[in-house]
Amino acid sequence: MELVTPSIGLVFWTTLTFVLLIMLLSKFAWKPIVAALNDREKSIEDALNAAEKAKEELSRLNVESDKLIKAARVERDKMLKEAKTLSDSLIHEAKVQAHAEGAKMIAKAHHEINNQKLAALAEVKNQVGALSIQIAEKILRKKFADAKEQEALVTELLKDVKLN
């Protein structure tokens, strides 16, 4: 039974050692351990605060990024609309210019046709005048006493003349 029940000296020395150990630990080890635990708690709290701030910053940046994307889309749509308007106006101007150029060419062609028509009429008049002079010359050269012979000659000369 001696092995199971401790003696009074063993209990005394164990208690004394335990009290000394507690005093030594409280004087030298307890404060640094508590300080280390407090520092660790503070660093964990700071890390959590920093993570929360980073989360808020990320959220703010996401909102800002969404705003920028929306603004970029609006700007893109505006630029596309301006490009379409510009394209339409250029096409319209090209059509108007082509129409004006066509009208100018038609007017020039009409003018040219009228000039050629007037030149042809002048040529016909000159030919008619020349033919009239030739007929008159031939009539005057022949000295006819009879009017019937003059009419026959004029008729014969008119048959020779081909009108264009």
Side-chain angles (χ1 to χ4, degrees), residues 33-56:
I33 290 173
V34 170
L37 287 176
N38 285 338
D39 287 345
R40 178 161 172 111
E41 183 181 348
K42 186 174 185 245
S43 68
I44 290 172
E45 188 176 315
D46 290 344
L48 288 174
N49 287 339
E52 186 65 32
K53 285 181 183 178
K55 183 179 177 184
E56 289 173 3

Side-chain angles (χ1 to χ4, degrees), residues 15-85:
T15 306
L16 182 67
T17 309
F18 183 70
V19 169
L20 277 174
L21 181 64
I22 293 291
M23 287 175 34
L24 283 174
L25 284 177
S26 69
K27 181 158 180 119
F28 295 110
W30 202 260
K31 289 180 185 176
I33 290 173
V34 170
L37 287 176
N38 285 338
D39 287 345
R40 178 161 172 111
E41 183 181 348
K42 186 174 185 245
S43 68
I44 290 172
E45 188 176 315
D46 290 344
L48 288 174
N49 287 339
E52 186 65 32
K53 285 181 183 178
K55 183 179 177 184
E56 289 173 3
E57 182 69 18
L58 181 62
S59 175
R60 186 187 64 80
L61 288 175
N62 282 339
V63 168
E64 189 175 317
S65 146
D66 288 342
K67 286 180 184 178
L68 287 174
I69 288 173
K70 286 179 183 177
R73 285 184 182 150
V74 167
E75 185 69 23
R76 179 200 64 195
D77 291 344
K78 181 181 174 185
M79 290 173 79
L80 286 174
K81 186 177 180 182
E82 287 176 0
K84 174 119 175 80
T85 303

